[in-house]
Amino acid sequence: MDKIIACHECDLLLELSEVKPGTKLLCPRCGYVITRTGHQALNRLIAFSLSATLFFAYACAFPFLSFNLQGRGQLITLLQSVSELYQQGHPVLSLMVAIFIILAPLLLLVGLLYVLLPLKAGRRNPGSIVVSKLLLAIQPWSMVEVFLIGVLVSLIKIATMASLLLGPSFWAYVAFSIMLTAALTYLDRLQLWHWLDSAKPWRTVQ
Ligand SMILES: [Zn+2]
């Protein structure tokens, strides 16, 4: 089962024999983590992805924050923040929020569950290979942690001008970003290909 793979960072060719669960393989030349195989990695990935989905649904459904400016109170949800930013004359910002804060994490979650859930039964969904390639490509583009920092900074700014109340969905989004980040730490390129290799399609032609 030996395979030749190239380091993602420096293209050094490495001969890869089976990696035991719970170990990490580093590139001898540049130190890049070639693979990290966690114990129960698939179970943890699925558990974190499912919890992230629940928190994300909750974050979209309820008020994100409410603020009171000169006696005028306003409640906005996460989705409303996109249209609100657009109406306030920030089309680029509103597009970025829509893509990086809502669409990219959502696609990531749907893709993760589509690929991972059948693997539990030793099967793979049609198109899993394509979806996995997409997942690995957008993995670095989901900026949930960056968004959280941005939100905190703007909240401090708004708090000096208006009284501010964080809605339940704000905390749900915090929980969602922790869960998604946790899930992504278990998403290992090589291990994902290994799982897909050993899984069978749903209908095998005899
Ligand atoms: Zn390297």
Coordinates of all heavy atoms in Angstrom, one line a residue, residues 28-123:
P28 N 10.1 16.2 6.0 CA 11.4 16.3 6.6 C 12.2 17.5 6.1 O 13.1 18.0 6.8 CB 12.1 15.0 6.1 CG 11.4 14.5 5.0 CD 9.9 15.0 5.2
R29 N 11.7 18.1 5.0 CA 12.4 19.3 4.5 C 11.9 20.6 5.0 O 12.6 21.4 5.5 CB 12.4 19.3 2.9 CG 13.2 20.4 2.3 CD 13.7 20.1 0.9 NE 12.6 20.2 0.0 CZ 12.7 19.9 -1.3 NH1 13.9 19.4 -1.8 NH2 11.7 20.0 -2.1
C30 N 10.5 20.8 5.0 CA 10.0 22.1 5.4 C 9.1 22.0 6.6 O 8.7 23.1 7.1 CB 9.2 22.7 4.2 SG 7.6 21.8 3.9
G31 N 8.8 20.8 7.1 CA 8.1 20.7 8.4 C 6.6 20.8 8.2 O 5.8 20.8 9.2
Y32 N 6.1 20.9 6.9 CA 4.6 20.9 6.7 C 4.0 19.6 7.2 O 4.6 18.5 7.1 CB 4.4 21.1 5.2 CG 3.0 21.1 4.7 CD1 2.2 22.2 4.9 CD2 2.4 19.9 4.1 CE1 0.8 22.2 4.5 CE2 1.1 19.9 3.7 CZ 0.3 21.0 3.9 OH -1.0 21.0 3.5
V33 N 2.8 19.8 7.8 CA 2.1 18.6 8.3 C 1.5 17.8 7.1 O 0.5 18.3 6.5 CB 1.0 18.9 9.3 CG1 0.3 17.7 9.8 CG2 1.6 19.7 10.4
I34 N 2.1 16.7 6.7 CA 1.6 15.9 5.5 C 0.3 15.3 5.9 O -0.7 15.3 5.1 CB 2.6 14.8 5.2 CG1 4.0 15.4 5.0 CG2 2.1 14.0 4.0 CD1 4.3 16.0 3.7
T35 N 0.2 14.6 7.0 CA -1.1 14.0 7.5 C -1.1 14.0 9.0 O -0.1 13.8 9.6 CB -1.3 12.6 6.8 OG1 -2.6 12.2 7.2 CG2 -0.3 11.6 7.3
R36 N -2.3 14.1 9.5 CA -2.5 14.0 10.9 C -3.7 13.1 11.1 O -4.8 13.4 10.7 CB -2.8 15.4 11.5 CG -2.9 15.4 13.0 CD -3.5 16.7 13.5 NE -2.5 17.8 13.4 CZ -2.6 19.0 12.8 NH1 -3.7 19.2 12.2 NH2 -1.7 19.9 12.9
T37 N -3.5 11.9 11.6 CA -4.6 10.9 11.7 C -5.0 10.9 13.2 O -4.3 10.4 14.1 CB -4.1 9.5 11.3 OG1 -2.9 9.2 12.1 CG2 -3.8 9.5 9.8
G38 N -6.2 11.4 13.4 CA -6.7 11.4 14.8 C -7.5 10.2 15.1 O -8.0 9.5 14.3
H39 N -7.5 9.8 16.5 CA -8.4 8.7 16.9 C -9.8 9.1 16.7 O -10.2 10.3 16.9 CB -8.1 8.5 18.4 CG -6.8 7.9 18.7 ND1 -6.5 6.6 18.4 CD2 -5.7 8.4 19.3 CE1 -5.2 6.4 18.7 NE2 -4.7 7.4 19.3
Q40 N -10.6 8.2 16.2 CA -12.0 8.5 16.0 C -12.3 9.7 15.1 O -13.2 10.5 15.3 CB -12.7 8.8 17.4 CG -12.6 7.7 18.3 CD -13.7 6.6 18.2 OE1 -14.8 6.9 17.8 NE2 -13.3 5.4 18.4
A41 N -11.3 10.0 14.2 CA -11.4 11.3 13.4 C -12.7 11.4 12.7 O -13.3 12.5 12.7 CB -10.2 11.3 12.5
L42 N -13.2 10.3 12.1 CA -14.5 10.4 11.3 C -15.7 10.7 12.2 O -16.5 11.6 11.9 CB -14.7 9.1 10.5 CG -15.9 9.1 9.6 CD1 -15.9 10.2 8.6 CD2 -16.1 7.7 9.0
N43 N -15.7 10.0 13.4 CA -16.8 10.3 14.3 C -16.8 11.8 14.8 O -17.8 12.4 14.9 CB -16.7 9.4 15.5 CG -17.1 8.0 15.2 OD1 -17.8 7.8 14.2 ND2 -16.7 7.0 16.0
R44 N -15.6 12.2 15.1 CA -15.5 13.6 15.6 C -15.8 14.6 14.5 O -16.5 15.6 14.8 CB -14.0 13.9 16.1 CG -13.7 13.2 17.4 CD -12.3 13.4 17.8 NE -12.0 12.4 18.7 CZ -11.1 12.6 19.8 NH1 -10.6 13.8 19.9 NH2 -10.9 11.7 20.6
L45 N -15.4 14.3 13.3 CA -15.7 15.2 12.2 C -17.2 15.3 12.0 O -17.8 16.4 11.8 CB -15.1 14.7 10.9 CG -13.9 15.4 10.3 CD1 -13.3 14.5 9.2 CD2 -14.4 16.7 9.7
I46 N -17.9 14.2 12.0 CA -19.4 14.2 11.8 C -20.0 14.9 13.0 O -20.9 15.7 12.8 CB -19.9 12.7 11.7 CG1 -19.4 12.1 10.3 CG2 -21.4 12.7 11.7 CD1 -19.7 10.7 10.1
A47 N -19.6 14.6 14.2 CA -20.2 15.2 15.4 C -20.1 16.7 15.4 O -21.0 17.4 15.6 CB -19.6 14.6 16.7
F48 N -18.9 17.2 15.1 CA -18.6 18.6 15.1 C -19.4 19.3 13.9 O -20.0 20.4 14.1 CB -17.2 19.0 14.9 CG -16.4 18.8 16.2 CD1 -15.2 18.0 16.3 CD2 -16.8 19.4 17.4 CE1 -14.5 17.9 17.5 CE2 -16.1 19.3 18.6 CZ -15.0 18.5 18.6
S49 N -19.5 18.6 12.8 CA -20.2 19.2 11.6 C -21.7 19.2 11.9 O -22.4 20.2 11.6 CB -20.0 18.3 10.4 OG -18.7 18.1 10.1
L50 N -22.3 18.2 12.6 CA -23.7 18.2 12.9 C -24.0 19.3 13.9 O -25.0 20.1 13.8 CB -24.2 16.8 13.4 CG -24.3 15.8 12.4 CD1 -24.7 14.4 13.1 CD2 -25.5 16.1 11.4
S51 N -23.2 19.5 14.9 CA -23.4 20.5 15.9 C -23.3 21.9 15.3 O -24.1 22.8 15.5 CB -22.5 20.4 17.1 OG -21.9 19.2 17.2
A52 N -22.3 22.0 14.4 CA -22.1 23.3 13.7 C -23.4 23.6 12.9 O -23.8 24.8 12.8 CB -20.9 23.3 12.8
T53 N -24.0 22.6 12.2 CA -25.2 22.8 11.4 C -26.3 23.3 12.3 O -27.0 24.3 11.9 CB -25.6 21.5 10.7 OG1 -24.5 21.0 10.0 CG2 -26.7 21.8 9.7
L54 N -26.5 22.7 13.4 CA -27.6 23.1 14.3 C -27.4 24.6 14.8 O -28.3 25.4 14.8 CB -27.7 22.2 15.5 CG -28.1 20.8 15.3 CD1 -28.1 19.9 16.5 CD2 -29.5 20.8 14.7
F55 N -26.2 24.9 15.2 CA -25.9 26.2 15.7 C -26.1 27.3 14.6 O -26.5 28.4 14.8 CB -24.5 26.4 16.3 CG -24.4 25.8 17.7 CD1 -23.5 24.8 18.0 CD2 -25.2 26.3 18.7 CE1 -23.4 24.2 19.3 CE2 -25.1 25.8 20.0 CZ -24.2 24.7 20.3
F56 N -25.7 26.9 13.3 CA -25.8 27.8 12.2 C -27.2 28.1 11.9 O -27.6 29.2 11.7 CB -25.1 27.2 11.0 CG -25.0 28.2 9.8 CD1 -24.0 29.1 9.8 CD2 -25.9 28.1 8.8 CE1 -23.9 30.0 8.7 CE2 -25.8 29.0 7.7 CZ -24.8 29.9 7.7
A57 N -28.1 27.0 11.9 CA -29.5 27.2 11.6 C -30.1 28.1 12.7 O -30.9 29.0 12.4 CB -30.2 25.8 11.7
Y58 N -29.7 27.9 13.9 CA -30.2 28.8 15.0 C -29.7 30.2 14.9 O -30.5 31.2 15.0 CB -29.7 28.2 16.4 CG -30.3 28.8 17.6 CD1 -31.4 28.3 18.2 CD2 -29.7 29.9 18.2 CE1 -32.0 28.8 19.3 CE2 -30.3 30.5 19.3 CZ -31.4 30.0 19.9 OH -31.9 30.5 21.0
A59 N -28.5 30.4 14.4 CA -27.9 31.7 14.3 C -28.6 32.5 13.2 O -28.7 33.7 13.2 CB -26.4 31.6 13.9
C60 N -29.2 31.8 12.2 CA -29.9 32.5 11.1 C -31.3 32.8 11.4 O -31.9 33.7 10.9 CB -29.9 31.6 9.8 SG -28.3 31.5 9.0
A61 N -31.9 32.0 12.4 CA -33.3 32.2 12.7 C -33.6 33.3 13.7 O -34.8 33.8 13.7 CB -33.8 30.8 13.1
F62 N -32.7 33.6 14.5 CA -33.0 34.5 15.6 C -32.3 35.9 15.5 O -31.3 35.9 14.8 CB -32.8 33.9 17.0 CG -33.7 32.7 17.2 CD1 -33.4 31.4 16.9 CD2 -35.0 32.9 17.7 CE1 -34.2 30.4 17.1 CE2 -35.9 31.9 17.9 CZ -35.5 30.6 17.6
P63 N -32.7 36.9 16.3 CA -32.0 38.2 16.2 C -30.5 38.1 16.5 O -30.2 37.4 17.5 CB -32.7 39.1 17.2 CG -34.0 38.4 17.4 CD -33.8 37.0 17.1
F64 N -29.7 38.7 15.7 CA -28.2 38.6 15.9 C -27.8 39.7 17.0 O -27.1 39.4 17.9 CB -27.5 38.9 14.6 CG -26.1 38.6 14.6 CD1 -25.7 37.2 14.7 CD2 -25.1 39.5 14.5 CE1 -24.4 36.8 14.6 CE2 -23.7 39.1 14.5 CZ -23.4 37.8 14.6
L65 N -28.3 40.9 16.8 CA -28.1 41.9 17.9 C -29.2 43.0 17.8 O -29.9 43.1 16.8 CB -26.7 42.5 17.8 CG -26.2 43.1 16.5 CD1 -26.5 44.5 16.3 CD2 -24.7 42.9 16.5
S66 N -29.4 43.6 18.9 CA -30.3 44.7 18.9 C -29.6 45.9 19.5 O -28.7 45.8 20.3 CB -31.5 44.4 19.8 OG -31.2 44.3 21.1
F67 N -29.9 47.1 18.9 CA -29.2 48.3 19.5 C -30.2 49.4 19.6 O -31.2 49.5 18.9 CB -28.0 48.7 18.8 CG -28.1 48.9 17.3 CD1 -28.5 50.2 16.8 CD2 -28.0 47.9 16.4 CE1 -28.6 50.4 15.4 CE2 -28.1 48.1 15.0 CZ -28.5 49.3 14.6
N68 N -29.9 50.3 20.5 CA -30.8 51.4 20.8 C -30.1 52.7 20.7 O -29.1 53.0 21.4 CB -31.3 51.2 22.3 CG -32.6 51.9 22.5 OD1 -32.8 53.1 22.0 ND2 -33.5 51.3 23.3
L69 N -30.4 53.4 19.6 CA -29.7 54.7 19.3 C -30.7 55.8 19.4 O -31.6 55.9 18.7 CB -29.1 54.6 17.9 CG -28.3 55.8 17.4 CD1 -27.1 56.0 18.3 CD2 -27.9 55.5 16.0
Q70 N -30.5 56.7 20.3 CA -31.3 57.9 20.6 C -32.8 57.5 20.7 O -33.6 58.1 20.0 CB -31.1 59.0 19.5 CG -29.7 59.6 19.6 CD -29.2 60.2 18.3 OE1 -29.9 60.0 17.3 NE2 -28.1 60.8 18.4
G71 N -33.1 56.5 21.4 CA -34.5 56.1 21.7 C -35.0 55.2 20.5 O -36.2 54.7 20.7
R72 N -34.3 55.0 19.5 CA -34.8 54.1 18.4 C -34.1 52.8 18.5 O -32.9 52.6 18.3 CB -34.4 54.8 17.0 CG -35.6 55.4 16.3 CD -35.2 55.9 14.9 NE -34.6 54.9 14.1 CZ -33.5 55.1 13.4 NH1 -32.9 56.3 13.4 NH2 -33.0 54.1 12.6
G73 N -35.0 51.8 18.8 CA -34.4 50.4 18.9 C -34.5 49.7 17.6 O -35.4 49.9 16.8
Q74 N -33.5 48.8 17.3 CA -33.6 48.0 16.1 C -33.0 46.6 16.4 O -32.0 46.4 17.1 CB -32.7 48.7 15.0 CG -33.2 48.3 13.6 CD -32.5 49.1 12.6 OE1 -31.7 50.0 12.8 NE2 -32.8 48.7 11.3
L75 N -33.7 45.7 15.8 CA -33.3 44.3 15.9 C -32.8 43.8 14.5 O -33.5 44.0 13.5 CB -34.5 43.4 16.3 CG -34.8 43.1 17.7 CD1 -36.1 42.3 17.8 CD2 -33.7 42.3 18.3
I76 N -31.7 43.2 14.4 CA -31.3 42.7 13.1 C -30.8 41.2 13.2 O -30.2 40.8 14.2 CB -30.3 43.5 12.3 CG1 -29.0 43.7 13.1 CG2 -30.8 44.8 11.8 CD1 -27.9 44.2 12.3
T77 N -31.2 40.4 12.2 CA -30.7 39.1 12.1 C -29.5 39.0 11.3 O -29.1 40.0 10.6 CB -31.8 38.1 11.5 OG1 -32.0 38.6 10.1 CG2 -33.1 38.2 12.2
L78 N -28.8 37.9 11.3 CA -27.6 37.7 10.5 C -27.9 38.0 9.0 O -27.1 38.7 8.3 CB -27.1 36.3 10.7 CG -25.7 36.0 10.2 CD1 -24.7 36.9 10.8 CD2 -25.3 34.5 10.5
L79 N -29.0 37.5 8.5 CA -29.3 37.6 7.1 C -29.6 39.1 6.8 O -29.3 39.6 5.7 CB -30.5 36.7 6.7 CG -30.2 35.2 6.8 CD1 -31.4 34.4 6.5 CD2 -29.1 34.8 5.9
Q80 N -30.3 39.8 7.7 CA -30.7 41.2 7.5 C -29.4 42.0 7.5 O -29.4 43.1 6.8 CB -31.6 41.7 8.7 CG -33.0 41.4 8.4 CD -33.8 41.6 9.7 OE1 -33.3 41.7 10.8 NE2 -35.1 41.7 9.5
S81 N -28.4 41.6 8.1 CA -27.1 42.4 8.2 C -26.6 42.6 6.7 O -26.0 43.6 6.4 CB -26.1 41.8 9.1 OG -25.6 40.6 8.6
V82 N -26.8 41.6 5.9 CA -26.4 41.7 4.5 C -27.1 42.8 3.8 O -26.5 43.7 3.2 CB -26.6 40.3 3.7 CG1 -26.2 40.4 2.3 CG2 -25.8 39.2 4.4
S83 N -28.5 42.8 3.8 CA -29.3 43.8 3.1 C -29.0 45.2 3.8 O -29.0 46.2 3.1 CB -30.7 43.4 3.1 OG -31.2 43.2 4.4
E84 N -28.9 45.2 5.1 CA -28.7 46.4 5.9 C -27.4 47.1 5.4 O -27.4 48.3 5.1 CB -28.6 46.1 7.4 CG -28.7 47.3 8.3 CD -30.2 47.9 8.3 OE1 -31.1 47.1 7.9 OE2 -30.3 49.0 8.6
L85 N -26.3 46.3 5.3 CA -25.0 46.9 4.8 C -25.2 47.4 3.4 O -24.6 48.4 3.0 CB -23.9 45.8 4.8 CG -23.3 45.5 6.2 CD1 -22.5 44.2 6.1 CD2 -22.5 46.7 6.6
Y86 N -25.9 46.7 2.5 CA -26.1 47.1 1.1 C -26.9 48.4 1.1 O -26.4 49.4 0.4 CB -26.9 46.0 0.4 CG -27.0 46.3 -1.1 CD1 -26.0 46.1 -2.0 CD2 -28.2 46.8 -1.6 CE1 -26.1 46.4 -3.3 CE2 -28.3 47.1 -3.0 CZ -27.2 46.9 -3.8 OH -27.4 47.2 -5.1
Q87 N -27.9 48.5 1.9 CA -28.7 49.8 1.9 C -27.9 50.9 2.5 O -28.2 52.1 2.2 CB -30.0 49.6 2.7 CG -31.1 48.9 1.9 CD -32.1 48.2 2.8 OE1 -32.3 48.6 3.9 NE2 -32.9 47.3 2.2
Q88 N -27.0 50.6 3.4 CA -26.2 51.7 4.0 C -25.1 52.2 3.1 O -24.2 53.0 3.4 CB -25.5 51.3 5.3 CG -26.5 50.8 6.4 CD -27.2 51.9 7.1 OE1 -26.6 53.0 7.2 NE2 -28.5 51.7 7.5
G89 N -25.0 51.6 1.8 CA -24.1 52.0 0.9 C -22.7 51.3 1.0 O -21.7 51.9 0.6
H90 N -22.7 50.0 1.4 CA -21.5 49.2 1.5 C -21.7 47.9 0.7 O -21.7 46.9 1.3 CB -21.1 48.9 2.9 CG -21.0 50.1 3.8 ND1 -20.0 51.0 3.7 CD2 -21.8 50.5 4.8 CE1 -20.1 51.9 4.6 NE2 -21.2 51.6 5.3
P91 N -21.9 48.0 -0.7 CA -22.2 46.8 -1.4 C -21.1 45.8 -1.4 O -21.4 44.6 -1.3 CB -22.4 47.4 -2.9 CG -21.7 48.7 -2.9 CD -21.8 49.2 -1.5
V92 N -19.8 46.2 -1.4 CA -18.7 45.2 -1.4 C -18.7 44.5 0.0 O -18.6 43.2 0.0 CB -17.4 45.9 -1.6 CG1 -16.2 44.9 -1.6 CG2 -17.4 46.7 -3.0
L93 N -18.9 45.2 1.0 CA -18.9 44.6 2.4 C -20.0 43.7 2.5 O -19.9 42.6 3.0 CB -19.0 45.8 3.4 CG -18.5 45.4 4.8 CD1 -17.1 44.9 4.8 CD2 -18.7 46.6 5.8
S94 N -21.2 44.1 2.0 CA -22.4 43.2 2.1 C -22.2 41.9 1.3 O -22.6 40.8 1.8 CB -23.6 44.0 1.7 OG -24.2 43.4 0.6
L95 N -21.5 42.0 0.1 CA -21.2 40.8 -0.7 C -20.3 39.9 0.1 O -20.4 38.7 0.1 CB -20.7 41.3 -2.0 CG -20.5 40.2 -3.1 CD1 -21.9 39.7 -3.5 CD2 -19.7 40.6 -4.2
M96 N -19.3 40.6 0.7 CA -18.3 39.8 1.4 C -18.9 39.0 2.6 O -18.6 37.9 2.9 CB -17.1 40.7 1.9 CG -16.2 41.0 0.8 SD -14.8 42.1 1.3 CE -13.8 40.9 2.2
V97 N -19.8 39.7 3.3 CA -20.4 39.1 4.5 C -21.3 37.9 3.9 O -21.2 36.8 4.5 CB -21.3 40.1 5.2 CG1 -22.3 39.3 6.2 CG2 -20.5 41.1 6.0
A98 N -22.0 38.1 2.8 CA -22.8 37.1 2.3 C -22.0 35.9 1.9 O -22.4 34.7 2.1 CB -23.6 37.6 1.1
I99 N -20.9 36.1 1.2 CA -20.0 35.0 0.7 C -19.3 34.3 1.9 O -19.4 33.1 2.1 CB -19.1 35.5 -0.3 CG1 -19.8 35.9 -1.6 CG2 -18.1 34.3 -0.7 CD1 -19.0 36.5 -2.7
F100 N -18.5 35.1 2.6 CA -17.6 34.5 3.6 C -18.2 34.1 4.9 O -17.8 33.2 5.6 CB -16.4 35.4 3.9 CG -15.5 35.6 2.6 CD1 -15.4 36.8 2.0 CD2 -14.9 34.5 2.1 CE1 -14.6 37.0 0.9 CE2 -14.1 34.6 1.0 CZ -14.0 35.9 0.4
I101 N -19.3 34.8 5.3 CA -19.9 34.6 6.6 C -21.0 33.6 6.5 O -21.3 32.8 7.4 CB -20.4 35.9 7.2 CG1 -19.3 37.0 7.1 CG2 -20.9 35.7 8.6 CD1 -18.0 36.6 7.7
I102 N -21.7 33.6 5.3 CA -22.9 32.8 5.3 C -22.7 31.6 4.2 O -22.8 30.5 4.6 CB -24.2 33.6 5.0 CG1 -24.4 34.6 6.1 CG2 -25.4 32.7 4.8 CD1 -25.4 35.7 5.9
L103 N -22.4 32.0 3.0 CA -22.4 31.0 1.9 C -21.3 30.0 2.0 O -21.5 28.8 2.0 CB -22.4 31.7 0.5 CG -23.7 32.3 0.1 CD1 -23.5 33.0 -1.2 CD2 -24.8 31.3 0.0
A104 N -20.1 30.5 2.2 CA -18.9 29.6 2.3 C -19.0 28.6 3.4 O -18.9 27.4 3.2 CB -17.6 30.3 2.3
P105 N -19.3 29.0 4.7 CA -19.5 28.1 5.8 C -20.6 27.1 5.5 O -20.5 25.9 5.8 CB -19.7 28.9 7.0 CG -19.5 30.3 6.7 CD -19.4 30.4 5.2
L106 N -21.7 27.6 4.9 CA -22.9 26.8 4.6 C -22.5 25.7 3.6 O -22.8 24.5 3.8 CB -24.0 27.6 4.1 CG -25.4 26.9 4.0 CD1 -25.9 26.5 5.4 CD2 -26.4 27.8 3.4
L107 N -21.9 26.0 2.5 CA -21.5 25.1 1.5 C -20.5 24.0 2.1 O -20.6 22.9 1.9 CB -20.8 25.8 0.4 CG -21.7 26.5 -0.6 CD1 -20.8 27.2 -1.7 CD2 -22.6 25.4 -1.3
L108 N -19.6 24.5 3.0 CA -18.6 23.7 3.6 C -19.3 22.6 4.5 O -19.0 21.4 4.4 CB -17.7 24.6 4.5 CG -16.3 24.2 4.8 CD1 -15.5 23.9 3.6 CD2 -15.6 25.2 5.7
L109 N -20.4 23.1 5.2 CA -21.1 22.2 6.1 C -21.9 21.1 5.3 O -21.8 19.9 5.6 CB -22.1 22.9 7.0 CG -21.5 23.6 8.2 CD1 -22.6 24.3 9.0 CD2 -21.0 22.5 9.1
V110 N -22.6 21.6 4.3 CA -23.4 20.7 3.5 C -22.5 19.7 2.8 O -22.8 18.5 2.8 CB -24.2 21.5 2.4 CG1 -24.9 20.5 1.4 CG2 -25.3 22.4 3.1
G111 N -21.4 20.2 2.2 CA -20.4 19.3 1.6 C -19.8 18.3 2.5 O -19.7 17.1 2.2
L112 N -19.4 18.7 3.7 CA -18.8 17.8 4.7 C -19.8 16.7 5.0 O -19.4 15.5 5.0 CB -18.5 18.6 6.0 CG -17.2 19.3 6.1 CD1 -17.2 20.1 7.4 CD2 -16.0 18.4 6.1
L113 N -21.1 17.0 5.3 CA -22.0 16.0 5.7 C -22.3 15.1 4.6 O -22.5 13.9 4.8 CB -23.3 16.7 6.3 CG -23.1 17.4 7.6 CD1 -24.3 18.1 8.1 CD2 -22.7 16.4 8.7
Y114 N -22.4 15.6 3.3 CA -22.7 14.8 2.2 C -21.6 13.8 2.0 O -21.9 12.6 1.6 CB -22.8 15.7 0.9 CG -23.1 15.0 -0.3 CD1 -24.4 14.6 -0.6 CD2 -22.1 14.6 -1.3 CE1 -24.7 13.9 -1.8 CE2 -22.4 13.9 -2.4 CZ -23.7 13.6 -2.7 OH -24.0 12.9 -3.8
V115 N -20.4 14.2 2.2 CA -19.3 13.2 2.0 C -19.1 12.3 3.2 O -18.9 11.1 3.0 CB -17.9 14.0 1.7 CG1 -16.7 13.1 1.7 CG2 -18.0 14.8 0.4
L116 N -19.2 12.8 4.4 CA -18.8 12.1 5.6 C -19.9 11.1 6.1 O -19.5 9.9 6.5 CB -18.5 13.0 6.7 CG -17.3 13.9 6.5 CD1 -17.2 14.9 7.6 CD2 -16.0 13.1 6.3
L117 N -21.2 11.5 6.0 CA -22.2 10.6 6.6 C -22.2 9.2 6.0 O -22.2 8.2 6.8 CB -23.6 11.3 6.6 CG -23.8 12.4 7.6 CD1 -25.2 13.0 7.4 CD2 -23.7 11.8 9.0
P118 N -22.2 9.0 4.7 CA -22.2 7.7 4.1 C -20.9 6.9 4.5 O -21.0 5.7 4.5 CB -22.3 7.9 2.6 CG -22.3 9.3 2.4 CD -22.3 10.1 3.6
L119 N -19.8 7.6 4.7 CA -18.6 6.9 5.0 C -18.7 6.1 6.3 O -18.0 5.1 6.5 CB -17.4 7.9 5.2 CG -16.9 8.6 3.9 CD1 -15.8 9.6 4.3 CD2 -16.4 7.5 2.9
K120 N -19.6 6.5 7.2 CA -19.9 5.8 8.4 C -20.3 4.4 8.1 O -20.1 3.4 8.8 CB -20.9 6.5 9.3 CG -20.5 7.5 10.3 CD -19.4 7.0 11.2 CE -20.0 6.2 12.4 NZ -18.9 5.6 13.2
A121 N -21.1 4.3 7.0 CA -21.6 3.0 6.6 C -20.7 2.3 5.6 O -21.1 1.3 4.9 CB -23.0 3.1 6.0
G122 N -19.5 2.9 5.4 CA -18.6 2.3 4.4 C -18.9 2.5 3.0 O -18.5 1.8 2.1
R123 N -19.8 3.5 2.8 CA -20.2 3.8 1.4 C -19.8 5.3 1.0 O -19.5 6.1 1.9 CB -21.8 3.8 1.4 CG -22.3 2.4 1.7 CD -22.2 1.5 0.5 NE -22.5 0.1 0.9 CZ -22.6 -0.8 0.0 NH1 -22.5 -0.6 -1.3 NH2 -22.9 -2.1 0.4

